[in-house]
Amino acid sequence: MNEFNESHDTGSVREFTVSDADAGPYALTEGPDGALWFTLVHRGAVARRDPDDGLVTVHPDGDGPTVITAGPDGALWFTEYRAHRIGRLTPEGDYASFAPRTPGGGPFGITAGPDGAMWFTLSSADRVGRVTVDGEVTEYPAPGAFPSALTTGPDGALWCTLNQGNAVGRLTTDGHGTAYPLPTEGAGPVGIAAGPDGALWFTEIGAGRIGRITVDGDITEYPLPDPAARPHAVTAGPDGALWFTEWGGGRVGRITVDGDITSYALSRTDCEPHGITAHDGALWCALETGSLARIEVRP
């Protein structure tokens, strides 16, 4: 499948159509091969965008592939929310999947852990799972309700958002969990990422805020200019700032570690930006309406 023509260009934001509007680009990551890999959640596929010519190759693998990330074994790992499985895809296109121990758990977030394994959330089962690169699965109780995104923290623990518990959770690699309640009721945290300042940064989709939590559990919240922005995913950028998607307003936001906020408009307010990642010196986000957006990082 070849990349379609560029559909939107404002100088700092460029958009590329990569699928039909109903395929649903959802999350994306830079692969071990230097390409941009993304999930097509409604089509049941994982796709690759070549960094040189923009060619898009679609792998029809997975049922409801959702969040995707690179693993320590040179493969791409992703959650299959509808199939309740964890998928693995090599850059060459070899696919395998693994079943968590808890059926119907609704795997969502996934990250490479500090121990050489992949860690994932089972949102519907309030559990966090671990799968080795050989497919051995272990599970632990989550420290709160509906664990969503997760990431490895600078302290060697796993940190996750507890969307329905209105908290951020910390889980050690031996399964000991701690929850840190958020100051704002109904915050509904979703995305989380390790920041360049030794803290964890997360989105509050229900409160229109970006949060910061230290490894000691101290929390700071930063209200966005648009309270209805519904921030979704967040990632560390190559410029020392945090970047996030504003699902409710069709924008990409940037926040410095000091709390200064900038926003970049996408082509449509209803383009539904979800996942975001740094790639090739820029920020890229997946628009569920069928495109990938590239946001230039300026000095």
Side-chain angles (χ1 to χ4, degrees):
M1 172 180 171
N2 288 314
E3 179 188 355
F4 290 85
N5 288 331
E6 183 178 315
S7 62
H8 183 66
D9 188 341
T10 65
S12 59
V13 180
R14 300 170 64 189
E15 293 181 17
F16 304 89
T17 302
V18 292
S19 72
D20 299 331
D22 58 355
Y26 189 86
L28 69 178
T29 192
E30 182 171 282
D33 56 352
L36 193 61
W37 291 76
F38 55 98
T39 55
L40 296 171
V41 64
H42 301 311
R43 176 171 293 177
V46 174
R48 176 188 185 273
R49 183 182 188 275
D50 191 272
D52 296 321
D53 58 14
L55 180 70
V56 174
T57 305
V58 177
H59 299 270
D61 297 310
D63 185 3
T66 310
V67 178
I68 185 169
T69 193
D73 57 345
L76 287 305
W77 290 75
F78 53 95
T79 50
E80 300 182 30
Y81 195 84
R82 285 200 295 268
H84 306 292
R85 299 183 71 87
I86 304 301
R88 178 184 182 272
L89 184 68
T90 68
E92 295 75 30
D94 296 323
Y95 166 75
S97 69
F98 308 95
R101 293 178 177 272
T102 302
F108 180 76
I110 190 167
T111 191
D115 55 352
M118 303 302 296
W119 288 74
F120 57 92
T121 58
L122 292 170
S123 298
S124 300
D126 295 343
R127 297 180 70 79
V128 175
R130 175 185 185 270
V131 57
T132 68
V133 295
D134 297 321
E136 182 181 347
V137 178
T138 311
E139 290 180 14
Y140 303 97
F146 209 82
S148 298
L150 83 167
T151 192
T152 296
D155 56 347
L158 287 304
W159 289 77
C160 64
T161 49
L162 301 170
N163 180 261
Q164 294 179 13
N166 211 57
V168 172
R170 178 183 185 271
L171 192 76
T172 62
T173 53
D174 59 359
H176 177 71
T178 306
Y180 299 94
L182 299 182
T184 302
E185 292 186 12
V190 181
I192 190 168
D197 56 347
L200 290 302
W201 291 74
F202 56 94
T203 61
E204 298 184 4
I205 196 169
R209 298 171 181 239
I210 302 299
R212 176 186 185 271
I213 182 170
T214 69
V215 294
D216 296 322
D218 295 327
I219 297 172
T220 308
E221 296 175 312
Y222 300 93
L224 297 179
D226 177 8
R230 297 188 67 76
H232 186 271
V234 62
T235 192
D239 56 347
L242 287 302
W243 292 72
F244 54 93
T245 50
E246 298 183 30
W247 181 79
R251 294 182 297 268
V252 171
R254 175 184 183 269
I255 183 169
T256 68
V257 294
D258 297 322
D260 295 328
I261 297 171
T262 311
S263 185
Y264 297 81
L266 300 171
S267 59
R268 293 165 43 183
T269 57
D270 63 347
C271 63
E272 299 186 23
H274 284 285
I276 188 167
T277 195
H279 170 66
D280 192 29
L283 277 301
W284 290 72
C285 69
L287 314 184
E288 199 166 342
T289 47
S291 301
L292 301 182
R294 180 186 187 277
I295 301 90
E296 181 180 345
V297 176
R298 293 180 173 176

